[in-house]
Amino acid sequence: MKKVDNIIDSIAVLGILLMFYRFFITFLQIENIWKLSILVTIAFLVILLISRFENIKSKIIMSFKKNRSLTYFIGLLLFLSLPFSLRQSSYWIFILTICWLWIIIAQGINIQFGSAGIINLGAAFFWGIGGYTTAILASRYNFNPLIGIFLGGIMAILAGLPLIIPILKARGHYLALVTLSVVVAFGHFANNIKWLGGSQGIMNIPSVSIGGYNFLNSIKIFNFELPPISNYFYFATLLGILVLFVCHRMSNSWVGLTLNSINENKGDIICSNCMGINRARWVVISFSIGNFFIGIAGAFFAHMNCYVAPQDMTFYKSLLYLSAVILGGMDNIMGVTIGAILIVILPEKFKVLQEYWIIIFMSSIVLMIILRPQGLLAAKIRNYGIKRQ
Amino acid sequence: MEINEEILINLKGLTMKFGELKAVNNVDININKNEIVGLIGPNGAGKTTIFNCITGLYPSYEGSIYLDGEDIKGKNPWEIRRKGITRTFQTSRIIPNLSVYDNAFIGSLAEKRGPLFSAIFNRYKFNKELEKEINKVNGFFEIFNKDLINKGFTAASEISQIDTRRLEVVRALMMEAKLLLLDEPTAGLTMEESKEFIGDIYKIKEKFPELGTIIIEHDMEVIKGATKRVIVLNYGEKITEGSFEEISKNDEVKEAYLGQ
């Protein structure tokens, strides 16, 4: 009986993952707003229905829990085949790649704000630093784009140090003000400096090329031809998984606990101070790690689009990055990932609400902070990966 | 200054002013190693202020504080902790959203070597450290309250008041310490729980024979039961010190408490 049960569980997991995959592809590719709304409503109702029936819902959850490795394996396979299913609509492969970049940025901000309580309103600035660094190095000095991306992250760290070190003793509001002014100031600055390309930015940034294989080529595999953007999709997937892995390990370790303890709201500054923790050191460390991720994402974007421009370094952009964290779930890696995905895909899908998205996002943040300040997926009690009952 | 081997901490002429108000006025205190000393006085007498001066939270005091012969004036609280002075707080500073274990672990984060590197690249080392810390905490829980071992990964907001106080003491002692400062540890506890707590203090003394302790308390039963020497403060000044019997006969002390 047990063997049959296990097979049923595995089939259920497989089936649900395939259904979800099919739904996702269809969701992305439907153009007609009415068909889209119908699809979304159906999906909503199905989920609502299932959560009503407790025993079905818990059976489903159990099947997934029992088949962790299968879930990850099939999930990964399906995910890697997205460019295949979307090869006719390369725009969506582009958007999914953007999703990964936002996930990376959101993880960076999550480390700064969600874990350590450091408010960074200038994320777009660090993103821009990453982009401009690699743009200059790769297009003017012939640096290898991969090295440029890495150095973009390093420059973001260096750019952050003069901002944070002078105000180490001050409370959160000061850093918020400093980062806010920096992103606005740099946007204007870059607009007017010839060396940075002025308002045009820097163009003709070379594409990434690994060992002779240039990312501008389409991928010809299994008799399929995937559009060139797929190269960036896979590369972003690799980077994204790496970042998620690193963040997961950091969070479930002494680092995550230290950051929580120096957090103004989640922790206790006086207490952690009296217990021997050097807050200044960890503020700088977490700020830098976060900026590194943001910088790398910005540099990646520069190579993918082959240009950087000051228009992308706005305060509004910074706020959006922050909202992914606030809406998705503070200090929750999965929550922040989901927040990032929603913020990228929803406005793209529902383009008809173009101007209203600002209002929707900003009011969602206000509502979320009032009604459910922990975000969609609340931070979980740290258990360091120990499986306990 | 001559170094007396027995003296753990020496406060000389300690004066703490807030504007014109002298919260602590020219106080001299010596605590020996392995002593448990009570620090009492009416509210506002300056007891917690003295703790805050010792632990570096109020760095701008006049006078001097020497720990084991070393001047600790001007040091950051985190440096002072690493020199061996640890404390609990008047209002339990336990972080409710973190687990019981996490709250305790905070006490020894400062001694971790290369936590960032091992978190990402050397999970084996981290897991060994984690196991060691869990065993350390469980060792404390064995002494205080075995039930807490099962509650290790539950939110700290869910444990009782006396367990919260105990958790604070555990956190304070997770890393090597020479001097333990307890600030009104039985505030909010019932009479029964306070009696239990006296027992807890003796268990701590057994586990750490070299540890010096200063206890700020309003509950005289605890002072009588746990301390050998009592220092009495009033309006920021030390009015007397001695055994509990001696100071309870002192007129000034009686007036300070009854003449309120």
Side-chain angles (χ1 to χ4, degrees):
Chain A
M1 219 36 230
K2 224 181 171 205
K3 260 214 164 140
V4 179
D5 269 345
N6 286 340
I7 297 183
I8 294 183
D9 277 333
S10 310
I11 295 183
V13 166
L14 192 63
I16 292 179
L17 286 175
L18 281 171
M19 264 200 315
F20 186 73
Y21 181 78
R22 191 63 241 158
F23 164 76
F24 188 60
I25 300 285
T26 318
F27 172 79
L28 288 182
Q29 289 184 312
I30 293 187
E31 306 258 329
N32 185 316
I33 190 80
W34 299 115
K35 290 190 198 157
L36 179 63
S37 315
I38 296 177
L39 179 68
V40 171
T41 320
I42 295 179
F44 219 59
L45 290 174
V46 166
I47 296 180
L48 218 65
L49 213 67
I50 295 184
S51 35
R52 265 309 178 83
F53 291 98
E54 265 303 321
N55 52 343
I56 298 185
K57 177 172 136 192
S58 35
K59 267 198 186 162
I60 294 181
I61 295 182
M62 266 327 298
S63 324
F64 273 97
K65 282 203 173 159
K66 279 199 274 180
N67 288 299
R68 284 230 155 148
S69 350
L70 182 70
T71 312
Y72 288 144
F73 181 65
I74 300 287
L76 187 64
L77 226 59
L78 287 176
F79 189 82
L80 292 176
S81 62
L82 278 170
F84 288 88
S85 312
L86 291 168
R87 67 189 178 282
Q88 306 297 350
S89 19
S90 61
Y91 181 67
W92 287 110
I93 304 180
F94 172 71
I95 292 297
L96 290 180
T97 313
I98 299 284
C99 275
W100 267 124
L101 296 186
W102 275 70
I103 291 175
I104 293 175
I105 295 174
Q107 294 302 332
I109 299 202
N110 191 31
I111 292 174
Q112 295 172 339
F113 187 44
S115 291
I118 303 171
I119 305 179
N120 183 358
L121 289 181
F125 164 69
F126 296 103
W127 182 92
I129 290 282
Y132 272 100
T133 302
T134 194
I136 293 173
L137 291 177
S139 65
R140 295 184 196 170
Y141 298 99
N142 281 323
F143 269 67
N144 182 331
L146 292 179
I147 298 190
I149 292 179
F150 177 72
L151 289 181
I154 300 290
M155 270 313 288
I157 294 181
L158 296 177
L161 294 180
L163 298 181
I164 190 123
I165 291 181
I167 54 166
L168 279 173
K169 295 241 164 102
R171 289 295 154 94
H173 330 292
Y174 292 95
L175 185 62
L177 285 174
V178 168
T179 49
L180 165 53
S181 21
V182 137
V183 67
V184 172
F186 190 73
H188 284 294
F189 178 75
N191 227 343
N192 293 309
I193 297 290
K194 224 161 162 224
W195 187 63
L196 294 175
S199 56
Q200 301 274 25
I202 301 180
M203 295 183 280
N204 298 321
I205 303 177
S207 202
V208 173
S209 121
I210 302 183
Y213 175 73
N214 192 313
F215 274 23
L216 288 175
N217 301 325
S218 32
I219 304 180
K220 296 185 180 70
I221 193 172
F222 303 143
N223 274 334
F224 289 105
E225 182 167 340
L226 306 176
I229 192 71
S230 318
N231 290 308
Y232 280 105
F233 174 79
Y234 287 123
F235 187 36
T237 304
L238 183 65
L239 280 182
I241 292 181
L242 218 62
V243 167
L244 288 175
F245 177 73
V246 167
C247 288
H248 176 80
R249 283 207 157 172
M250 280 200 310
S251 178
N252 281 303
S253 76
W254 307 131
V255 177
L257 182 57
T258 307
L259 296 186
N260 280 154
S261 74
I262 63 171
N263 188 328
E264 259 184 271
N265 304 311
K266 271 190 89 153
D268 191 326
I269 296 183
I270 291 185
C271 166
S272 57
N273 212 348
C274 287
M275 289 297 120
I277 297 172
N278 182 352
R279 178 166 195 262
R281 184 164 164 252
W282 286 99
V283 164
V284 173
I285 290 179
S286 55
F287 193 59
S288 301
I289 296 180
N291 290 342
F292 181 72
F293 289 160
I294 300 175
I296 291 220
F300 186 103
F301 186 82
H303 285 292
M304 182 168 76
N305 279 358
C306 299
Y307 84 95
V308 273
Q311 285 79 18
D312 291 322
M313 288 188 297
T314 59
F315 173 55
Y316 176 54
K317 259 291 178 65
S318 296
L319 275 186
L320 280 184
Y321 294 140
L322 203 60
S323 354
V325 172
I326 296 181
L327 293 175
M330 305 260 282
D331 203 16
N332 183 322
I333 292 178
M334 178 62 70
V336 151
T337 303
I338 293 180
I341 295 176
L342 288 178
I343 292 196
V344 171
I345 293 192
L346 289 180
E348 287 297 328
K349 204 58 227 174
F350 296 96
K351 271 226 146 79
V352 69
L353 295 170
Q354 187 78 343
E355 297 92 41
Y356 294 96
W357 278 111
I358 301 186
I359 303 179
I360 296 176
F361 282 137
M362 296 304 132
S363 23
S364 309
I365 295 183
V366 172
L367 283 176
M368 190 64 87
I369 292 184
I370 296 176
L371 299 175
R372 194 184 157 89
Q374 61 270 54
L376 272 176
L377 290 183
K380 292 188 275 201
I381 297 248
R382 183 177 290 102
N383 70 351
Y384 302 99
I386 300 179
K387 293 192 179 83
R388 280 184 193 231
Q389 257 316 330
Chain B
M1 63 161 272
E2 18 171 304
I3 301 178
N4 182 334
E5 285 285 304
E6 274 307 303
I7 295 185
L8 175 61
I9 188 169
N10 164 266
L11 282 64
K12 204 169 164 62
L14 182 66
T15 302
M16 182 66 206
K17 288 203 276 226
F18 294 108
E20 283 311 310
L21 173 68
K22 285 190 182 168
V24 177
N25 191 0
N26 205 6
V27 169
D28 291 336
I29 292 180
N30 278 329
I31 309 286
N32 296 328
K33 298 184 177 149
N34 152 7
E35 253 200 306
I36 302 183
V37 175
L39 183 59
I40 67 174
N43 280 321
K47 312 184 292 294
T48 303
T49 309
I50 290 183
F51 273 14
N52 288 342
C53 290
I54 296 176
T55 53
L57 288 173
Y58 294 161
S60 49
Y61 54 82
E62 289 154 35
S64 63
I65 299 182
Y66 282 84
L67 175 74
D68 246 350
E70 186 186 349
D71 187 355
I72 59 173
K73 189 178 212 162
K75 294 209 189 299
N76 290 313
W78 58 267
E79 291 170 314
I80 290 183
R81 173 63 186 93
R82 294 178 194 202
K83 295 268 173 219
I85 300 181
T86 184
R87 72 174 293 177
T88 64
F89 297 88
Q90 208 167 346
T91 49
S92 264
R93 288 184 176 257
I94 288 292
I95 300 170
N97 291 326
L98 295 181
S99 69
V100 167
Y101 275 147
D102 269 355
N103 272 286
F105 290 160
I106 288 180
S108 57
L109 286 176
E111 66 183 2
K112 298 291 183 291
R113 295 266 144 265
L116 188 54
F117 187 82
S118 46
I120 304 174
F121 300 110
N122 192 349
R123 216 58 191 174
Y124 176 74
K125 173 178 169 209
F126 168 70
N127 285 328
K128 278 262 163 299
E129 285 175 346
L130 179 63
E131 200 186 322
K132 178 167 157 228
E133 295 302 310
I134 292 182
N135 287 335
K136 208 193 283 185
V137 177
N138 285 344
F140 278 111
F141 286 168
E142 287 277 343
I143 303 178
F144 291 144
N145 179 359
K146 291 197 174 56
D147 288 333
L148 284 173
I149 298 182
N150 293 327
K151 299 188 185 162
F153 286 110
T154 60
S157 50
E158 294 181 16
I159 60 176
S160 66
Q161 176 74 320
I162 183 174
D163 282 338
T164 306
R165 297 278 176 188
R166 286 168 166 153
L167 182 56
E168 245 206 325
V169 175
V170 171
R171 179 181 68 195
L173 295 173
M174 284 293 281
M175 204 163 71
E176 205 185 302
K178 297 178 179 169
L179 176 66
L180 170 64
L181 306 176
L182 295 173
D183 199 344
E184 296 194 38
T186 66
L189 299 184
T190 65
M191 268 203 331
E192 292 299 312
E193 291 171 333
S194 300
K195 282 212 187 90
E196 261 189 273
F197 198 81
I198 300 179
D200 290 346
I201 296 180
Y202 279 111
K203 291 174 190 164
I204 298 175
K205 194 153 186 279
E206 266 177 67
K207 198 171 159 81
F208 300 100
E210 293 283 304
L211 180 69
T213 311
I214 308 180
I215 308 181
I216 293 180
E217 257 302 338
H218 282 297
D219 185 339
M220 292 306 150
E221 290 303 314
V222 176
I223 295 289
K224 208 194 324 186
T227 66
K228 292 283 158 54
R229 176 158 69 101
V230 184
I231 300 173
V232 189
L233 247 50
N234 194 15
Y235 290 119
E237 293 179 356
K238 179 167 90 173
I239 52 182
T240 188
E241 66 180 287
S243 71
F244 185 76
E245 285 69 38
E246 289 168 11
I247 61 110
S248 44
K249 295 194 190 109
N250 182 305
D251 287 329
E252 262 191 282
V253 175
K254 286 198 235 175
E255 201 193 312
Y257 273 101
L258 297 177
Q260 287 284 315

